[in-house]
Amino acid sequence: RLRVFRHQTRLGLMVAKQTGGDAAAGGIIGFYDCHVAPRMGWHEEVISLLQARPQRLVIPMIGDLNVTAWDEIPGSQLLSKCYINWNADFWCYEDDTDFAPVI
């Protein structure tokens, strides 16, 4: 079921996400920005991680996209993780773990 909310004027990305989050009625809330093109079956791992630990924050790795075809470039690697805090400040970085720190 999909509900669409619109502000009368443009208020920015974070206000739009806050409005959507406040209005959400489901058990899982997800926000995917315009630079994300999820792979087939992407939701299965996300749901599994959230069911294992409901308070978990799942952050997708950002891959290399062909913006014309809106597909991941074959053979490319995942580029970086995002480090975020509760003020919605974020930085991208790389390491060899499956974890991303959250303050």
Side-chain angles (χ1 to χ4, degrees):
R1 189 171 143 213
L2 176 69
R3 296 183 296 160
V4 177
F5 294 86
R6 293 188 187 273
H7 294 117
Q8 295 298 317
T9 60
R10 291 185 182 182
L11 301 174
L13 176 64
M14 296 314 294
V15 173
K17 287 182 177 185
Q18 183 68 50
T19 300
D22 290 346
I28 297 173
I29 301 172
F31 296 101
Y32 291 88
D33 293 336
C34 62
H35 58 82
V36 176
R39 294 178 183 168
M40 294 294 287
W42 65 270
H43 62 286
E44 294 167 2
E45 183 178 10
V46 170
I47 290 171
S48 173
L49 289 168
L50 290 170
Q51 287 174 335
R53 197 161 156 210
Q55 66 275 49
R56 175 176 274 153
L57 177 65
V58 180
I59 304 169
M61 298 269 301
I62 299 172
D64 204 4
L65 287 181
N66 173 338
V67 295
T68 304
W70 206 247
D71 262 333
E72 189 172 331
I73 296 173
S76 69
Q77 60 186 26
L78 297 173
L79 300 177
S80 61
K81 299 177 187 181
C82 290
Y83 174 91
I84 66 171
N85 65 26
W86 297 116
N87 292 323
D89 299 320
F90 71 94
W91 303 268
C92 292
Y93 74 98
E94 297 178 30
D95 72 6
D96 293 329
T97 71
D98 289 335
F99 303 102
V102 177
I103 295 176

